Amino acid sequence: MRYFEFSDDKSSKFWEITLADTAVTVRFGRIGAKGQSKTHTFADAASAQIEADKLVREKTRKGYVETTPGASNPAPRPA
């Protein structure tokens, strides 16, 4: 499981992704709330990994910062 947060003047949101074999589950919502979750199943584990990596890149491009315990957080990119 990888956990990301985004905060600005208007919102504080989280986004979480879990990869389990051929299933990719994302959970998202406002920080402090349970949020919503969606699971997508793929034909094989490699396809699931490719999709998970793509989703993580999209979220980090939008400004989400990984806060997963033990994760190495890169320095934020300038806007």
Side-chain angles (χ1 to χ4, degrees), residues 16-73:
E16 175 183 283
I17 187 164
T18 304
L19 179 64
D21 195 29
T22 60
V24 175
T25 301
V26 294
R27 189 171 68 92
F28 54 94
R30 294 179 188 264
I31 293 175
K34 182 180 176 184
Q36 303 175 44
S37 67
K38 295 183 180 185
T39 300
H40 296 277
T41 304
F42 295 86
D44 55 47
S47 297
Q49 182 67 57
I50 290 168
E51 181 66 14
D53 292 342
K54 181 182 102 174
L55 292 171
V56 168
R57 280 192 308 273
E58 289 175 1
K59 288 300 179 182
T60 54
R61 253 187 254 128
K62 290 180 179 180
Y64 281 76
V65 176
E66 185 165 6
T67 59
T68 306
S72 60
N73 293 331

